[in-house]
Amino acid sequence: MSEKYKICGNAEVRIDDQVFTLPVFEGSEGERAIDIRKLRSETGLITLDSGYMNTGSCTSNITFLDGEKSVLHYRGYSIEDLADQCSFVEVAYLLIHSKLPTNVELDGFKRQLNDHSILHEDMIHFFDRFPPAASPMSILSSMVNSLHNFYPEMDDPLETLNITAARLLSKVRTIAAFSYKKSNGYPLVYPRFNLSYCANFLNMMFDSPVRPYLINDVVVDALNKLLILHGDHEQNCSTATVRMVGSARVNVYASISAGINALWGPLHGGANQAVMEMLEEIHQDGGNYRKFIEKAKDPDDPFRLVGFGHRVYKSHDPRCRIIKKACDDVLKSLQMEDDPLLAIAKELEEVALSDEYFIERRLYPNVDFYSGIIYRAIGIPTNMFTVMFALGRLPGWIAHWEEMWKSPDARISRPRQIYTGPLLRKFVPIEERE
Ligand code: ACO
C-alpha cells in the first residue's frame, strides 16, 4: 500500500463462529479505518453501506475536515488563514499544486489564467443553440464536456495537466459569465487581462456598453472568500463523482462535467438557490417568518428551514463565521440592508439562533444561507448560484482527479450490492404470458 498511513492496530470480526482479523489504519490527523479490502476474499461477505455514510472510498492528502470540532484544512492550512490572507487564485494553486505559490509562481499562474481565458469562437455559437430558459448548470456541464474536443489532452493527461487546470479555471469563469449574458440577450463582455480573477468575472457579468461596471473592492473580496470556502470539501457527492468517473480513465473535462451534474442537485449545490426561494416564499406570504419557523419545528410538517443544519458540522460550520462577516460587509457597502428578502434572512437567523428547538439540535445557519444572500446582493441571479459553487469547487475537483489518476492503488470504482430481486424464474414465451 503506497499511501501515507500506517497500521495502528487490528479489528476482529466474528461471523458465526469464525473470527477474522482486519488491519486498522490511521491517517495523519488520527482518523482510523478498518481495512476491509480482503473481507470478501476471506469471508465471502461484503459490507452494506447505502449512501456511503461510513465508507472511506480513498485516502487523500488534499482536505481535512472534522465536523465535531468545526475544522477545515486545505493541504494542511486552516480555512480561516486562507480566507483571511489569500486570493482564490492562490488557494486554487495550493489545491492543485499542493503548495502555496511564491510570488514568481503566482505571477506565472495568473499569466496562464489570462492566456486561457478566451473561448474558441466556435464554442460561442453553442450558446445560441440553447433555448432561452436553459439552465445555466446544463449549459456549463455541456460546455465543459465539449472543451475536450477543442483542447484535446496528450496521451498522458498528467503531462499537460498544469495547462488543462489553468484552462478549466479560466474558461469555466468565461462560460459562466457568457451563459448569463446569453440567457438575458445581452452583448458578451470578453475577459480583460488587467483585472484580477474575481474582478474579471464580475466585469464579464455586469459590464455593458451603456453602463460600465464599477469594480467594488468589498464585493471582489467577498467573492474571493466565497470561492475559497467552496474550494474543496473532501468526498462530497460531486467530488466523489469526479473521482469515480475519472477512475474509468476518462479525461478530466468529462469527469468534471459529471461533477457539475452531481452538484446541480438540490440536495447538494442547489441548496443556496433553495434558500433564496424559501425567503421569496416567506416574502410573498407577507413576511411572517415566525410562521415558517413554527412549521420547521412541527414534527408533522416535512418543511425544513433551508440553510440551517449540516450533515457533517454539528457545532458550527467553520466557513460560516467568515462568510457572515463578508455578508455584512457587502450589504453595508452596497447599502442594501433594507432589501426585504435580506431583512427576512437576518430576522430568521436571529430568531432561529435563540430558539430552543434549533439550539438543542445544534442547527446553525450553514454556508448556503449566507452565500445566497451575498450572491443576491451582488446581482447574481438565483439560477446561477450553483454555477458560482461550481466555479469555487473546480480546483478541488481538479486536485482530486489528479490524485486519483496518480494513485498506484487506483482502480475503476466498482461498488458491490446485495441483490433483493426474484430468484431464477422459468422463461415464458410472449404468446403464453398473461
Ligand atoms: N429545519 C428544521 N429542523 C431541522 C432542520 C432544519 N433545517 N435540519 C434538521 N432538523 C431537525 C430534524 O427534523 C431532526 O429533528 P428530530 O430530532 O426532532 O427528528 C433533527 O434536526 C436532526 O435532523 P437530521 O435530518 O437527522 O440531521 P442531518 O444531519 O441528517 O441533516 C441536513 C442535515 C440534511 C443538512 C438538514 O439539517 C437539512 O435538511 N437542512 C436544510 C437543507 C439545507 O440547508 N441543506 C444544505 C446543507 S449544506 C451543504 O450541503 C453545502
Side-chain angles (χ1 to χ4, degrees):
M1 191 168 304
S2 55
E3 285 98 341
K4 223 169 40 180
Y5 53 73
K6 53 180 193 281
I7 296 182
C8 66
N10 289 311
E12 288 186 346
V13 180
R14 177 183 293 277
I15 299 167
D16 302 327
D17 55 357
Q18 261 194 300
V19 175
F20 299 89
T21 305
L22 299 167
V24 174
F25 286 99
E26 188 172 274
S28 50
E29 288 274 1
E31 304 154 287
R32 298 200 299 163
I34 303 171
D35 183 346
I36 53 133
R37 281 176 292 184
K38 294 213 170 116
L39 185 71
R40 188 165 161 275
S41 60
E42 288 182 5
T43 68
L45 270 69
I46 64 164
T47 53
L48 185 61
D49 181 21
S50 309
Y52 311 128
M53 300 289 289
N54 199 38
T55 293
S57 59
C58 59
T59 59
S60 176
N61 53 32
I62 302 170
T63 288
F64 173 67
L65 191 168
D66 184 332
E68 284 302 321
K69 295 188 185 138
S70 299
V71 167
L72 177 61
H73 296 168
Y74 296 164
R75 303 279 190 195
Y77 295 99
S78 82
I79 193 68
E80 289 82 2
D81 281 347
L82 294 173
D84 197 35
Q85 305 192 45
C86 291
S87 67
F88 171 63
V89 170
E90 260 177 285
V91 174
Y93 186 100
L94 168 70
L95 284 165
I96 295 166
H97 296 277
S98 323
K99 71 182 278 283
L100 282 168
T102 60
N103 273 323
V104 173
E105 287 164 339
L106 186 60
D107 284 348
F109 191 45
K110 284 179 182 169
R111 231 183 349 267
Q112 273 189 326
L113 293 176
N114 267 333
D115 288 346
H116 294 288
S117 60
I118 288 180
L119 295 185
H120 192 295
E121 282 291 309
D122 286 350
M123 286 192 80
I124 292 172
H125 300 307
F126 291 178
F127 287 103
D128 298 328
R129 300 290 172 261
F130 286 101
S135 153
M137 283 301 271
S138 109
I139 297 178
L140 186 67
S141 69
S142 316
M143 298 291 264
V144 169
N145 213 3
S146 67
L147 283 173
H148 174 68
N149 300 315
F150 289 89
Y151 309 99
E153 299 152 284
M154 311 281 283
D155 286 343
D156 177 1
L158 294 180
E159 264 182 46
T160 43
L161 191 64
N162 282 355
I163 292 177
T164 309
R167 199 172 262 151
L168 268 164
L169 284 168
S170 199
K171 290 196 195 305
V172 165
R173 173 188 58 170
T174 310
I175 293 169
F178 280 14
S179 69
Y180 167 71
K181 289 290 197 196
K182 277 286 177 187
S183 67
N184 285 285
Y186 299 146
L188 299 181
V189 175
Y190 279 67
R192 279 179 27 197
F193 277 32
N194 59 337
L195 293 177
S196 70
Y197 186 90
C198 288
N200 219 335
F201 172 73
L202 291 165
N203 191 64
M204 281 193 276
M205 284 286 289
F206 301 122
D207 189 50
S208 94
V210 288
R211 189 178 298 172
Y213 179 67
L214 295 178
I215 308 275
N216 175 325
D217 289 341
V218 176
V219 170
V220 171
D221 185 55
L223 184 55
N224 264 297
K225 287 191 167 48
L226 271 169
L227 298 183
I228 290 171
L229 299 182
H230 282 111
D232 193 40
H233 216 230
E234 49 122 290
Q235 303 308 316
N236 55 84
C237 180
S238 56
T239 303
T241 299
V242 169
R243 289 186 82 119
M244 186 176 226
V245 172
S247 78
R249 300 280 127 171
V250 159
N251 67 77
V252 66
Y253 301 113
S255 306
I256 286 183
S257 174
I260 292 169
N261 285 324
L263 188 73
W264 192 354
L267 295 186
H268 190 9
N272 54 10
Q273 179 169 338
V275 169
M276 273 303 133
E277 286 160 0
M278 177 189 74
L279 294 176
E280 189 70 57
E281 193 189 340
I282 299 175
H283 180 52
Q284 297 298 331
D285 197 60
N288 185 359
Y289 57 88
R290 285 183 192 277
K291 182 174 118 189
F292 285 80
I293 291 188
E294 290 315 311
K295 266 167 74 68
K297 287 159 58 173
D298 181 351
D300 299 324
D301 190 328
F303 175 79
R304 281 187 170 190
L305 222 46
V306 194
F308 285 78
H310 197 278
R311 172 55 54 80
V312 181
Y313 296 117
K314 292 303 178 194
S315 62
H316 72 270
D317 181 337
R319 301 168 298 177
C320 271
R321 275 196 199 134
I322 303 160
I323 212 58
K324 182 176 175 0
K325 161 91 174 54
C327 183
D328 289 340
D329 293 346
V330 165
L331 296 186
K332 197 163 159 222
S333 167
L334 299 178
Q335 299 176 327
M336 288 188 70
E337 284 126 318
D338 294 340
D339 179 286
L341 290 206
L342 305 180
I344 290 172
K346 288 265 163 198
E347 305 268 24
L348 262 187
E349 178 198 10
E350 215 168 285
V351 172
L353 283 176
S354 56
D355 189 299
E356 266 315 303
Y357 174 94
F358 290 87
I359 295 170
E360 261 174 28
R361 290 168 180 75
R362 304 200 285 170
L363 300 170
Y364 302 90
N366 55 46
V367 73
D368 289 315
F369 186 72
Y370 298 108
S371 64
I373 297 174
I374 298 182
Y375 287 140
R376 176 181 162 87
I378 64 182
I380 308 272
T382 312
N383 69 352
M384 283 224 16
F385 286 5
T386 321
V387 171
M388 301 306 297
F389 192 157
L391 196 56
R393 187 53 56 88
L394 253 185
W397 287 333
I398 296 167
H400 279 277
W401 185 90
E402 182 182 11
E403 186 179 68
M404 177 280 308
W405 195 280
K406 275 182 174 167
S407 166
D409 294 331
R411 308 211 160 99
I412 185 165
S413 292
R414 176 54 171 93
R416 298 264 166 186
Q417 64 161 28
I418 294 292
Y419 175 69
T420 55
L423 298 179
L424 183 64
R425 296 192 269 187
K426 187 173 176 314
F427 181 78
V428 184
I430 192 161
E431 49 294 344
E432 292 171 27
R433 286 176 214 158
E434 294 175 350

